[in-house]
Amino acid sequence: MNPFDLDRWQEVGDALLASPVRTLLSMAGVFWGTFALVVMLGFGKGLETATERAVRGMATNAVFLWGGKRTMPFQGFPTDEWLELDASDVEPLRQLEGMRWLAPRNQLGGHRGSGVARRGPEAGTFNVVGDVPEMAFIETSRFDGGRFLDELDLDERRKVAVIGKQVAETLFADGADPMGDWIEIGGVPFKVVGLYHSARTDDMGDREEQTIHIPLTTFRTVFDGGRPSVQWFAAVAEDNVSASDLEDRMKVLLKERHHVHPDDDMAFGSFNAEREFGRIRRLFSGIRGTTWLVGSATLLSGAIGIGNVMLVVVRERTREIGVRRAVGATPRDIVRMILMEALVMTSLAGFAGLVAGVVLCELASAAIGPDNPSFGPPQVDATATLIAGVVLVCAGLLAGVLPARRAAAIHPVEALRSE
Amino acid sequence: MIRLRELRKSYVMAGRPLPVLKGIDLTIPTGELAAITGSSGSGKSTLLNVLGILDAYDSGSYELGDVLVKDLTEARAAELRNKYVGFVFQSFHLLPYKNATENVALPLYYAGIPRRERFRRANELLERVGLGDRADHLPNQLSGGQKQRVAIARSLVTNPRLLLADEPTGALDSATSKEIMDLLVEVNRAGTTVVVVTHESVVADRCPRRIRLVDGLIAEDQHS
Ligand SMILES: Nc1ncnc2c1ncn2[C@@H]1O[C@H](COP(=O)(O)OP(=O)(O)O)[C@@H](O)[C@H]1O
Ligand SMILES: [Mg+2]
């Protein structure tokens, strides 16, 4: 006999429809389990999307490194001395194994410092930074016009500036086209050659758009009195190289070059995007894992609920099973019947829960909108749906096993005598 | 049709064997209409269940047609039941959520007959038992006599060689009992071997052969 025989399913449907209220009630647990799983996964995905969007545009294997104070005496050099990184560190760092991009940067007023820029009557306080062309590969902004700084700008110490969207909005409030126009930083005129907005949606993105980039060489001449110092380095590791490994190698090299004790871990400050992203990723995989755990447990308890109801049903249908045996059903036929009933109930309930969950996620998506910074649209992906489906079928079979065995063990003579 | 030799069966009660059939020798030729009578507890139902391959026996032998019914697997027993035997019970045993046609068609489902064909044959049988106009009625919409007619239609739907009825009129009034017996007599005339268990003499007297069980043994075997 063909297992996909429509007839069998019809027989199962008839039996389930014989007491529709009981069937529906016993399906409720699995319905809620699936619904909860889908909704939790969907909203988790939404959160994840929002977070990913917030950090978009920052290389995930980036390392930032700056000089601190020596905390251990070494080779006759005292503690508490500020370590100054400089231009001579650039080339050795670039030669490091696994280094893809390296960009030194200086900032007006130091780390998180700012400078005043003006254009005619308009003025504002912005991050003014000296950059090299490589920075464009580390902080990947979206250009609305012009270009980033290039080698020629640096070689000739040109007085050119690349400005973020919010800088343009302040200084070009009159609606003039910033491209090719002039702005003043610390009384020195710079020509605007590039305009961009950030790819990120968080406050780091805001900061990025409030930045004015000028050539590092120009920056040194104009603002650092010609000193070749470097405030910090931004680096990106090669694709298959861990940012943490690169960070370690950079520190080892710089410790050697600046007479720092190999164990003096406080001498250089650093930020490793990979580690941060890893933390976020672990957080989300934790959330996802918990969701699956809770969802599956709910589902399982739903399946157990169905199994329980079916045990009662089997007892109530003892006589029916006896009749079926008397007219030619084998124990296997009975097992199959009960298993199929359990399967149909769990699948239908699960499918309904799935649909309800997806509908809720879609409604929430529409309400949240595509570009909400703090919450992405809840999404239910196909893989999760598939897995949930497989889990459901297994749960259904599981729910049916015990009742089916109980049903198969019913002796027809006993069943028919029971009055 | 039926040949029993030295058939014995006992139930285990409180750890002790309780003999119910104590050596039955019985031959029922094809086409016979036989009644099995006897007081309550004499082993009539037990004997009928053995004949219907619904229950196993301990020793002796049972041949149904040319099949030796002994040590069968559940699957084989089910197949033989489905093919060769029809059952009618005192309390009808119709499935409450199925209508008359669906109840009658049930044995054909286990015979692997397609749905449409099942229902066609089931309706034919309902016509034959005079219930053509009740095909879509549920059991609780039928009288006792009508229910038993549906049950008889169900027992005949696979064209069995043997129809076994355990107190088929036990739950019916005398007028209806007579109708049901008329029907069974007619079924027998059409060629089916029929064995009826009863303790009512009115019913037994309709049968040309009457076998009386006393305490698990055949005490009397009358032909008329
Ligand atoms: N499953 C069983 N376990 C123990 N004793 C049984 C069982 N079935 C029947 N009996 C006993 O077997 C005897 C014969 O039963 P049965 O064949 O039903 O008699 P009848 O149908 O003639 O009234 C009775 O004493 C009954 O109590
Ligand atoms: Mg009896």
Side-chain angles (χ1 to χ4, degrees):
Chain A
M1 284 209 274
N2 172 7
F4 296 104
D5 196 344
L6 216 79
D7 233 23
R8 290 237 188 97
W9 297 106
Q10 178 123 26
E11 191 68 18
V12 165
D14 288 351
L16 293 181
L17 288 176
S19 40
V21 176
R22 175 164 69 189
T23 302
L24 278 180
L25 283 178
S26 53
M27 281 164 56
V30 168
F31 174 84
W32 280 115
T34 320
F35 179 75
L37 181 65
V38 167
V39 169
M40 286 192 294
L41 282 176
F43 278 71
K45 182 79 186 163
L47 265 178
E48 214 173 325
T49 305
T51 310
E52 263 165 22
R53 214 161 43 197
V55 298
R56 189 164 54 191
M58 186 194 208
T60 55
N61 52 351
V63 174
F64 300 88
L65 194 149
W66 54 92
K69 275 180 186 171
R70 197 183 278 115
T71 61
M72 296 162 107
F74 190 57
Q75 294 178 348
F77 289 89
T79 57
D80 279 347
E81 189 191 56
W82 282 102
L83 297 164
E84 195 172 80
L85 303 172
D86 64 48
S88 69
D89 291 321
V90 173
E91 272 317 304
L93 282 171
R94 281 206 172 126
Q95 300 306 318
L96 276 178
E97 190 194 332
M99 176 70 75
R100 179 140 190 239
W101 304 111
L102 180 81
R105 171 180 275 187
N106 284 3
Q107 181 160 351
L108 212 56
H111 176 59
R112 295 236 160 200
S114 57
V116 176
R118 25 179 110 254
R119 174 176 163 269
E122 312 291 350
T125 308
F126 305 108
N127 315 305
V128 178
V129 298
D131 269 342
V132 297
E134 284 83 353
M135 192 53 110
F137 300 111
I138 299 169
E139 201 175 66
T140 51
S141 306
R142 310 277 159 91
F143 271 76
D144 299 315
R147 57 173 178 83
F148 195 64
L149 305 167
D150 63 20
E151 290 298 339
L152 220 59
D153 294 330
L154 271 95
D155 288 350
E156 297 183 357
R157 302 178 188 209
R158 288 180 176 172
K159 296 203 173 57
V160 292
V162 174
I163 63 175
K165 186 170 155 236
Q166 296 186 26
V167 177
E169 279 165 4
T170 308
L171 296 184
F172 295 86
D174 57 358
D177 182 8
M179 295 298 301
D181 209 336
W182 294 80
I183 60 175
E184 261 177 39
I185 306 165
V188 180
F190 286 82
K191 186 181 178 181
V192 177
V193 296
L195 177 66
Y196 66 86
H197 67 270
S198 174
R200 303 172 65 142
T201 57
D202 60 352
D203 53 347
M204 291 293 281
D206 275 352
R207 231 180 115 67
E208 196 183 323
E209 289 181 350
Q210 290 163 13
T211 302
I212 301 172
H213 309 254
I214 63 173
L216 180 60
T217 48
T218 317
F219 187 98
R220 286 194 178 120
T221 313
V222 177
F223 302 114
D224 279 348
R227 283 188 309 124
S229 66
V230 169
Q231 278 176 20
W232 79 79
F233 285 104
V236 170
E238 303 263 18
D239 278 346
N240 46 5
V241 173
S242 132
S244 300
D245 289 351
L246 182 67
E247 180 186 6
D248 290 344
R249 280 197 286 273
M250 288 170 77
K251 282 189 175 173
V252 168
L253 180 80
L254 290 174
K255 280 173 182 173
E256 261 173 42
R257 292 181 53 83
H258 293 269
H259 312 285
V260 173
H261 192 283
D263 297 332
D264 190 350
D265 289 328
M266 308 298 283
F268 299 101
S270 61
F271 170 87
N272 177 339
E274 182 186 68
R275 204 175 292 139
E276 292 303 307
F277 286 127
R279 197 168 298 163
I280 293 173
R281 221 169 278 139
R282 271 193 302 281
L283 175 69
F284 278 113
S285 68
I287 291 177
R288 216 176 304 134
T290 313
T291 303
W292 273 107
L293 203 75
V294 172
S296 305
T298 316
L299 235 161
L300 195 74
S301 76
I304 291 173
I306 287 187
N308 251 325
V309 173
M310 295 215 50
L311 275 177
V312 176
V313 169
V314 162
R315 181 171 315 209
E316 280 178 14
R317 282 165 67 186
T318 297
R319 231 173 54 138
E320 170 182 341
I321 289 164
V323 171
R324 286 176 182 273
R325 292 292 304 278
V327 302
T330 63
R332 268 184 66 174
D333 288 327
I334 302 296
V335 165
R336 191 154 37 202
M337 175 176 80
I338 301 295
L339 277 185
M340 278 167 76
E341 285 180 18
L343 200 63
V344 165
M345 280 203 280
T346 30
S347 307
L348 278 184
F351 185 71
L354 205 96
V355 169
V358 169
V359 166
L360 187 81
C361 284
E362 289 297 319
L363 289 178
S365 256
I368 287 165
D371 281 316
N372 189 309
S374 53
F375 212 92
Q379 279 171 337
V380 187
D381 61 74
T383 330
T385 315
L386 205 76
I387 296 175
V390 172
V391 171
L392 270 172
V393 170
C394 294
L397 288 176
L398 215 70
V401 167
L402 209 65
R405 286 179 54 167
R406 180 92 39 107
I410 290 174
H411 194 281
V413 173
E414 312 279 327
L416 291 171
R417 204 177 30 216
S418 68
E419 219 75 30
Chain B
M1 168 101 280
I2 289 173
R3 185 166 305 172
L4 302 180
R5 286 205 191 91
E6 267 300 295
L7 189 115
R8 288 167 195 277
K9 178 172 180 63
S10 44
Y11 287 109
V12 178
M13 277 291 268
R16 229 185 264 160
L18 171 77
V20 176
L21 302 178
K22 302 173 179 170
I24 306 272
D25 285 292
L26 179 65
T27 304
I28 298 176
T30 301
E32 202 163 46
L33 171 54
I36 298 176
T37 62
S39 57
S40 179
S42 56
K44 306 183 294 294
S45 296
T46 306
L47 177 59
L48 203 74
N49 290 335
V50 170
L51 292 181
I53 326 177
L54 212 50
D55 212 347
Y57 55 92
D58 300 335
S59 65
S61 70
Y62 168 29
E63 285 165 68
L64 173 62
D66 43 17
V67 183
L68 174 64
V69 179
K70 193 161 200 175
D71 303 326
L72 300 177
T73 62
E74 293 277 14
R76 175 78 177 135
E79 188 195 335
L80 290 177
R81 266 199 306 272
N82 183 261
K83 247 187 181 154
Y84 298 134
V85 185
F87 279 104
V88 175
F89 304 94
Q90 175 175 1
S91 48
F92 325 125
H93 287 328
L94 300 177
L95 303 195
Y97 61 88
K98 286 183 181 289
N99 67 26
T101 304
E102 291 164 341
N103 263 293
V104 173
L106 191 64
L108 296 176
Y109 170 75
Y110 291 107
I113 308 292
R115 190 175 183 81
R116 194 183 290 257
E117 172 68 6
R118 285 204 306 266
F119 287 174
R120 193 187 62 72
R121 284 204 225 167
N123 284 328
E124 244 174 52
L125 261 298
L126 282 175
E127 292 286 349
R128 186 171 154 197
V129 300
L131 286 178
D133 55 340
R134 296 283 190 276
D136 53 359
H137 282 47
L138 290 173
N140 62 13
Q141 297 167 316
L142 299 171
S143 71
Q146 287 171 332
K147 281 186 215 175
Q148 198 60 301
R149 281 166 191 275
V150 173
I152 291 170
R154 179 178 66 190
S155 74
L156 293 175
V157 77
T158 53
N159 270 323
R161 299 183 196 169
L162 180 61
L163 193 157
L164 303 173
D166 194 348
E167 313 259 13
T169 59
L172 304 174
D173 61 53
S174 53
T176 319
S177 293
K178 188 183 171 301
E179 284 168 28
I180 292 299
M181 277 318 290
D182 289 344
L183 182 55
L184 289 181
V185 167
E186 187 203 309
V187 166
N188 174 249
R189 288 222 178 95
T192 311
T193 310
V194 179
V195 179
V196 184
V197 162
T198 184
H199 58 258
E200 296 170 66
S201 52
V202 210
V203 171
D205 288 345
R206 300 287 303 272
C207 302
R209 185 173 176 192
R210 292 171 299 278
I211 301 150
R212 195 155 68 85
L213 280 191
V214 175
D215 200 15
L217 281 171
I218 294 177
E220 209 175 338
D221 192 348
Q222 282 188 322
H223 295 258
S224 57

